[in-house]
Amino acid sequence: MDRRQFLRSSAASGVAAAVGAGTGSTVAWASPSGSAGFAGGPATAAPGGRYPQGVVSGLESPTTTVIWTRVQPPAGGGDIPVQWAVAEDAAFDVIVASGSTVATAGADHTVKVRVEGLAPGRAHAYQFFAVGAYSPVGRARTLPPVGSAPDRLRLAFGSCHNYGTGLYPAHRAIAAEDLDGFVFLGDYIYESSGIAEDLGSVGDLFVPAPRADTTQRATDLTTYRAKYKLYRSDPDLQANHANHPLLPVWDDHEFRNNYDRESVAADPTRAAAAYQAWFEYMPVMPVDGGTRIHRSVRWGNLAELFLLDTRQYRDRHVGGILNLIFVDSPLQTEGRTMLGDAQRQWLFDGLSTAERDGVRFKLLGNQVMMAPLRLIDLDNDPLRGIFPTLARNAGLYLTDDPWDGYQWERRAVLEHIRDAAIGNVSLLTGDIHMFWTAGLQPDYDDPASPVVANEFVGGALTSTGLDVVGDLADVLGEGARNLSPGFAYTDLRRKGYGVIDIDGTTGTQTVEYRTVDALRFDGEPVTSARFTTREGSVDLTVEEF
């Protein structure tokens, strides 16, 4: 293949800081002629080779970005010198930063580089070179300048892509979208050994397995790493990551199902292995050097995205499936927390600061559903006449794992949004493997309690939900819309993802749900619903297709 030689000094054109050694060195960069994937459509990322997990970047600040890859070591392993370059164009005619680092055996030969000194508000190409081979070209970008007024922000969001329960046409579709980034809301891997373990042996009877998860149950660092290597080997996932910066948070399956802080304390070695593997494979730098992942990114004065952690700080589960709240319930205990005191205060302060700074839209990347899923409403006047001590928002709730299990804190978050007059708040949510949309009120049994935010639950990319019951899922979905409180939209059957588009010129926010057939490679994504809100209003215009 023809190669063109480009000699650039990173010291002259940008400052780079890397995790590893030898940063900021002068390199001669030879990039393959006609490298694909930066501006001309989805990247080509054939599985295997020296970079079997592809490349991915992370959004961080107006002048920095994070770029990632993993190098497959030659026989014998050992540490591997790696060169990298960031350019203004996919041909690498104008290299703005370059340097070298080391893919160490101690980090599973992953490479994560924080590149500094970049121009704000623009896309960049990046590439790695190791052991005589170039990586695919990826696209990174920097955030807009502080205080700027961007015209648009467009993000895809999704969660739950169990490798064994579906193919990745959703990732292929996201790769082709015109986006500023991809928000992944958790369950990037499933620690279990397959669908039979996830659903019990009955799962194999109802859910066809389109491909096998050949790894074993993840319980230590080696087996957690094996999960990430397997998931990242998929070419459609690689194409998504090569084309769009990733904004990830974890949920439960990155460690184990439905865990809480007591689970971490009970098995610290396994938890440490799970967290280490996540940080090794994600383009995210720890905020404080530990396991904190909650952070925010601001898109000029147009929007700020707050990425939450609703797992490692939460109080222990006290219910399970079908929880009755009647006169008293531990699910409503004052101070019971999912976020932890420090993260909750961080969120309150961040939302208030964003409002004070004139940030127009506020987004919460939230793992588990905040909208109540109350199957039976017991908070009514006749019952209160009989039981004067009836609990607030009494009823039968489906499960304690989402915000229904932490009702005091849910009300505290929504009351802060109301009392601080924080406008244009939307939650982007994952976890539940279905599409839901609802307005959120601090007290959903008080007609005077206002809707202060809207929640958009973006389905699952592949993971099994009520699709196992076929047409009955549609019936249940229609029934769910009429619960108290109800939902503006439900789709309990299909797989897919969401796209949020904020137009700064018109002050319009649009969310669209895209559905795919995760059991097939062919077919195009279908837009199943669209939700439109105007700046200054929580009223939803709902279109179903």
Side-chain angles (χ1 to χ4, degrees):
M1 178 182 289
D2 292 334
R3 296 179 182 271
R4 293 172 289 176
Q5 301 294 324
F6 302 101
L7 180 62
R8 300 287 188 272
S9 168
S10 61
S13 57
V15 179
V19 178
T23 63
S25 60
T26 300
V27 298
W29 197 257
S31 179
S33 177
S35 296
F38 175 49
T44 56
R50 192 58 66 190
Y51 303 90
Q53 280 72 46
V55 297
V56 62
S57 69
L59 276 171
E60 191 173 79
S61 85
T63 59
T64 66
T65 191
V66 177
I67 58 175
W68 179 98
T69 195
R70 178 180 174 272
V71 182
Q72 182 66 28
D79 296 348
I80 303 169
V82 180
Q83 293 177 301
W84 55 268
V86 176
E88 291 183 355
D89 61 319
F92 287 79
D93 288 320
V94 182
I95 293 179
V96 296
S98 60
S100 61
T101 184
V102 177
T104 66
D108 206 23
H109 297 101
T110 60
V111 174
K112 186 158 50 177
V113 181
R114 174 184 278 132
V115 185
E116 299 178 341
L118 300 174
R122 64 155 295 154
H124 297 82
Y126 67 94
Q127 194 172 36
F128 299 89
F129 179 82
V131 201
Y134 288 87
S135 75
V137 173
R139 185 179 78 143
R141 69 170 307 134
T142 50
L143 296 174
V146 174
S148 63
D151 293 333
R152 173 157 285 183
L153 172 62
R154 187 175 168 85
L155 301 168
F157 61 97
S159 67
C160 306
H161 61 191
N162 191 326
Y163 187 90
T165 61
L167 306 171
Y168 287 167
H171 283 297
R172 185 175 66 244
I174 294 169
E177 296 262 12
D178 178 14
L179 300 171
D180 297 302
F182 173 48
V183 182
F184 193 88
L185 296 165
D187 291 348
Y188 194 96
I189 62 165
Y190 279 69
E191 86 292 356
S192 60
S193 58
I195 184 63
E197 183 177 340
D198 292 336
L199 294 179
S201 59
V202 70
D204 286 330
L205 300 177
F206 292 100
V207 183
R211 58 182 174 183
D213 180 342
T214 56
T215 62
Q216 66 187 75
R217 178 176 177 80
T219 57
D220 58 20
L221 186 56
T222 297
T223 48
Y224 279 112
R225 285 169 168 173
K227 291 286 185 180
Y228 286 100
K229 284 197 277 280
L230 174 67
Y231 281 55
R232 284 276 179 88
S233 69
D234 184 276
D236 292 318
L237 176 58
Q238 289 184 18
N240 179 359
H241 284 345
N243 278 277
H244 305 306
L246 178 64
L247 290 152
V249 290
W250 59 48
D251 192 17
D252 53 344
H253 286 287
E254 288 87 351
F255 173 29
R256 73 167 180 80
N257 188 38
N258 286 359
Y259 82 88
D260 50 46
R261 61 184 176 86
E262 291 193 7
S263 310
V264 176
D267 199 349
T269 301
R270 182 180 176 188
Y275 291 157
Q276 179 178 336
W278 188 90
F279 277 109
E280 286 175 346
Y281 277 83
M282 294 295 158
V284 174
M285 300 297 187
V287 175
D288 57 6
T291 60
R292 173 179 163 177
I293 63 168
H294 60 277
R295 63 191 180 100
S296 70
V297 292
R298 185 177 285 192
W299 206 261
N301 71 356
L302 182 59
E304 186 162 358
L305 170 65
F306 297 86
L307 294 162
L308 305 183
D309 180 352
T310 63
R311 282 295 164 192
Q312 67 171 319
Y313 309 116
R314 65 163 61 195
D315 289 334
R316 70 180 180 89
H317 293 79
V318 294
I321 303 297
L322 298 181
N323 299 284
L324 179 65
I325 295 177
F326 194 66
V327 173
D328 189 24
S329 171
L331 302 185
Q332 295 186 331
T333 300
E334 184 173 350
R336 177 168 164 77
T337 180
M338 176 184 290
L339 300 175
D341 295 343
Q343 183 183 188
R344 184 175 62 253
Q345 191 60 52
W346 164 85
L347 177 61
F348 288 180
D349 292 345
L351 287 170
S352 295
T353 299
E355 184 68 28
R356 184 174 62 248
D357 291 349
V359 176
R360 298 165 64 185
F361 293 85
K362 299 87 181 172
L363 310 176
L364 274 59
N366 166 59
Q367 289 89 336
V368 295
M369 192 160 77
M370 184 175 279
L373 194 46
R374 183 171 60 180
L375 304 180
I376 300 176
D377 178 4
L378 298 176
D379 191 339
N380 55 63
D381 291 338
L383 277 176
R384 287 203 174 276
I386 302 172
F387 303 98
T389 58
L390 190 67
R392 187 182 200 178
N393 306 135
L396 181 67
Y397 292 81
L398 181 63
T399 172
D400 70 333
D401 188 60
W403 287 84
D404 281 341
Y406 302 81
Q407 297 201 9
W408 169 85
E409 188 168 51
R410 172 172 61 195
R411 188 163 53 251
V413 171
L414 297 176
E415 285 178 346
H416 177 78
I417 295 171
R418 179 197 65 196
D419 296 344
I422 297 167
N424 309 307
V425 179
S426 294
L427 280 74
L428 311 179
T429 299
D431 177 71
I432 199 171
H433 302 183
M434 310 165 204
F435 293 97
W436 308 74
T437 301
L440 302 177
Q441 302 166 269
D443 185 348
Y444 40 89
D445 287 316
D446 179 359
S449 184
V451 172
V452 298
N454 287 301
E455 182 172 30
F456 303 96
V457 185
L461 296 167
T462 73
S463 300
T464 301
L466 284 184
D467 49 315
V468 298
V469 300
D471 293 343
L472 180 58
D474 300 329
V475 176
L476 295 173
E478 286 300 316
R481 298 194 191 199
N482 297 315
L483 293 175
S484 175
F487 292 85
Y489 178 83
T490 60
D491 180 349
L492 311 189
R493 185 172 183 173
R494 289 181 286 186
K495 307 302 173 195
Y497 60 96
V499 175
I500 182 168
D501 189 337
I502 300 175
D503 187 326
T505 302
T506 63
T508 302
Q509 174 184 286
T510 302
V511 175
E512 294 184 340
Y513 292 155
R514 310 260 203 271
T515 61
V516 298
D517 185 345
L519 300 180
R520 298 165 49 189
F521 276 113
D522 59 345
E524 296 297 323
V526 174
T527 299
S528 57
R530 179 182 299 121
F531 311 92
T532 305
T533 55
R534 295 283 183 177
E535 188 172 10
S537 173
V538 293
D539 294 340
L540 279 175
T541 299
V542 181
E543 302 172 83
E544 299 185 39
F545 307 103

